[in-house]
Amino acid sequence: MECELPRVNSNQEEMKQYFEACQTIAVIGCSPKPEKASNRVAKYLLEVGYNMIPVYPKGEEILGQKAYKSLLEIEETVDMVVVFRKPEVVTAVADACIKRGDVKVLWTQLEIINNEAAQKAKDNGIDVVQNYCAMVEHKAIFNQ
């Protein structure tokens, strides 16, 4: 029997509010490879009108967008951060979101759960979604 990870502190109404409130979304771990989920989700976010900023340590440009080596290097305002990294890395991402001071939502993709990082983000006024695919949820909410 497959063990399903718990969905954490999110429902579609909250997610809808997050998507509507955000314009710029940084994708942490955005791969330049089209076959990777992070690339497909980033492409979808661009296609539905978000300003998507890829964060990838090796990439200069992904999907026609300038890629940054870290969240802290991005000069423009970032509303949401979508994470495609291992759960243990989410603590550093949450710290970077807090340090930036402009991130409204920290969103971790399927099977990425770090409750300590989530609580830290929440304690600093950042809404959190864990263990959901941003593309799947956006499509479901907005009938895309």
Side-chain angles (χ1 to χ4, degrees), residues 89-110:
V89 178
V90 179
T91 300
V93 174
D95 289 341
C97 290
I98 293 162
K99 187 172 183 179
R100 285 188 60 86
D102 58 357
V103 176
K104 297 176 184 122
V105 181
L106 173 59
W107 184 303
T108 65
Q109 287 294 115
L110 291 170

Side-chain angles (χ1 to χ4, degrees), residues 1-8 110-111 113 130-132:
M1 183 157 97
E2 189 174 335
C3 178
E4 187 172 321
L5 293 170
R7 302 289 183 156
V8 183
L110 291 170
E111 300 183 5
I113 295 176
Q130 293 190 96
N131 192 27
Y132 282 90

